[in-house]
Amino acid sequence: MSNQPAAKPSRSVLFGAAFLMATSAIGPGFLTQTSTFTAQHGAALALVIVLVILMDITAQMNIWSVVSVSGMRAQDVANKLLPGLGVVIAILVAIGGLAFNVGNVGGVALGFNAMLGLDQKVGAVIAGCLGILIFVNKNAKTIMDKVATVLAAVILLTVLVVAIKSQPPMGEVVKGLGSFDKLFDSETKMFTALTTILGGSCGGYIAFSGAHRLLDAGISGPENVGHVRRSVIQGCGTSGLVRILLFLAVLGTCTVGTTWVAENAKIITDAANGGNPAAEAFRLAAGDLGYRLFGLCLFSAGVSSVVGAAFTSVSFLKTLHPVIAKYERQCVIGFIAFSTLMMVIVGNAAQLLIVAGAFNGLILPITLGVMLIASRSKRIVGESYQHPIWMIVLGVVVVAIALYSGVQSVPNILNLFK
């Protein structure tokens, strides 16, 4: 158990942690995945999105609760269960976070390009500088909380405007919520959409960003677990709401009344091969204004994800060596700078992002599984705390689905090296 006394929860810190997690999830991959799968599956994707939101809440509720009650970061919990396991998890999360951060920097660059026509390499450098500026200040974590909250609001508003403009068919959406036959039909491959979107919602570093932020603020112990769980609901609710609005915006561009517009759907899905599906969806929905709004949305999503990925990755590494803990801000700055350099040199870093996605698919069942086991260990959560059985049962279901997804992704990793 941590010797750090539990602090009285600050509303701004609780909000900041929730939005740090939400905006960490809402990155370039989030926008691309949701847009592409909506254009492929139409209204039937509504069921997948609802299931993912419920699974996301389940996973993060378990993880945040154990981290908060134990007063230990996830890697320390793992090390206490099995010496050395935490080191492995920390390294995996950091590698996945670094790889995704390259894409996050690229997302900011694409946002600048859409808004201002700025060269992508120049945009990438500016993106890195913006992230670094936040952590140069000694009050970096307080600033990070405020930036995450503001950017979450910007993302919500931009996607809401386009969702309203596209006039989605709500009757078809309601019907889509009952599409269980399509979910389990091997021909539709909707289960692939479910597992991919789940990994983008709470895979890798994302599930720990808010939990570790609260721990750094001294918010821990069984007496604060209620506040922590409410923060989870706020964060997952925010990312889930953006996901729903984005789904509605793209669906509206692919549908006129109840008629499916195959041409628009093809434009969006074709953009997944080297283009930007979300950008095409926004352009189809609201013309040039929509494209500029997409740029603002992607810029906001990219900046917040850069900050979230860097902070959380370093929070996993800081307990591995006292030097990292002592110079945490400097390490985060170095992490962002290195990500920016890689983006400028490598470009779109497509293979790197595929490997990172596979890593995240493997990390979630491991980390969530460790947290579920830890929730039953009195030497970790203490003698008085009782982790709810219903949370454990639902957590096991999420582990099973995420594990299947991770196993399915292994061949993709191996194919990269042929």
Side-chain angles (χ1 to χ4, degrees), residues 34-35 37-39 41-47 49 159 163 166 168 172-173 176-177 241-253:
T34 306
S35 300
F37 287 131
T38 302
H41 301 294
L45 194 70
L47 173 62
I49 288 176
V159 180
S166 72
E172 295 300 305
V173 172
L177 291 172
L241 181 57
V242 172
R243 179 91 70 185
I244 291 168
L245 290 174
L246 182 58
F247 160 70
L248 292 175
V250 179
L251 184 64
T253 66

Side-chain angles (χ1 to χ4, degrees), residues 389-408:
I389 296 297
W390 66 268
M391 284 176 58
I392 296 175
V393 172
L394 292 177
V396 169
V397 173
V398 175
V399 167
I401 295 173
L403 185 60
Y404 176 80
S405 172
V407 170
Q408 290 294 101

Side-chain angles (χ1 to χ4, degrees), residues 183-204:
L183 177 63
F184 294 103
D185 185 347
S186 59
E187 294 296 319
T188 64
K189 297 181 180 179
M190 281 183 65
F191 193 77
T192 300
L194 187 149
T195 51
T196 302
I197 293 174
L198 177 64
S201 298
C202 56

